[in-house]
Amino acid sequence: MAKKSYAIFGVGSFGSKLARELSRAGNSVLICDISAPRLEELRDEVTDVVIADVTHEETVHELNVGKFDAVILGMSSFFEKQILALTLLKQEGARRILVKATSDIQERILYRLGADEVIQPDLDVAHRLSRRLSLANISDIFEFKGSAIAEVTVPEKLAGKNLKELNLRGKYAVTVLLLQKASDAGEIQPGPDTVLERGDILTVFGNQKSIIDLFKEK
């Protein structure tokens, strides 16, 4: 996978964690904040560190923001500054801009001003937790590009049948990627003759609604 380049403006708790994760994944990461102590903590973990105010036009211009695959704005506690920085990034030709928000009204405003994606970390976590608690057989599910990948537990209605009989891919556009038998701690790649047992844990990929309908208990 080709390494990508990212710039993170505003290095609070969210920005720091994101910078570390992107860097550990092998990406080039520039971080920028007006607080030197925050940046010093990350200096050895990222590619570049810039102490500057990104609400200044000259700063955003000098950073050549168009060279990054994406710029992430993490200054949601200072919404006026967030808006100004977003405006300058659009003006300077940033390719993709992701912005952190703390409320629905902030999200609506940021989209109207040209943000490519708005993130509400606390709300996103709450939605995922609510869904996981409400769907007993689905321990986790991640959405992306119209599909989903999920870890699910085999319900009674699917138990005792092999994957060829169930034909999950043909009937429901759901593919079983990995299987962990209820009686074994190891994971295997299942084949057509693999028989599912109640309590088996599957990693599946496919249509989100189909996954939820297939693996709910009733």
Side-chain angles (χ1 to χ4, degrees), residues 88-206:
L88 293 174
L89 286 169
K90 297 290 291 184
Q91 177 182 300
E92 290 294 330
R95 285 189 260 170
R96 187 171 178 225
I97 308 170
L98 292 80
V99 191
K100 179 175 177 279
T102 57
S103 67
D104 290 339
I105 190 168
Q106 282 189 5
E107 179 177 334
R108 290 196 297 272
I109 292 169
L110 291 166
Y111 273 127
R112 287 172 186 167
L113 292 175
D116 295 293
E117 185 175 345
V118 179
I119 308 149
Q120 290 194 58
D122 293 341
L123 188 59
D124 292 343
V125 170
H127 282 166
R128 283 183 55 202
L129 179 59
S130 172
R131 181 170 52 200
R132 179 163 61 84
L133 294 175
S134 300
L135 301 168
N137 282 351
I138 300 177
S139 57
D140 219 339
I141 187 166
F142 298 88
E143 305 164 46
F144 58 97
K145 297 183 179 179
S147 297
I149 188 166
E151 185 173 86
V152 301
T153 303
V154 174
E156 182 65 39
K157 65 184 178 183
L158 300 181
K161 300 177 183 177
N162 66 34
L163 291 176
K164 185 177 180 180
E165 290 178 87
L166 291 169
N167 190 20
L168 301 182
R169 185 185 297 178
K171 291 181 179 178
Y172 307 101
V174 173
T175 301
V176 178
L177 303 176
L178 293 170
L179 180 150
Q180 180 177 322
K181 300 300 290 183
S183 55
D184 188 353
E187 285 185 327
I188 63 170
Q189 287 189 316
D193 296 325
T194 302
V195 177
L196 300 184
E197 301 172 11
R198 184 173 184 179
D200 286 351
I201 298 173
L202 308 178
T203 301
V204 298
F205 171 82

Side-chain angles (χ1 to χ4, degrees), residues 4 50 59-60 80 96-97 102 110 173 198 201 213 218:
K4 294 188 176 183
V50 176
T59 299
V60 178
E80 290 183 10
R96 187 171 178 225
I97 308 170
T102 57
L110 291 166
R198 184 173 184 179
I201 298 173
D213 289 344
K218 294 181 180 181

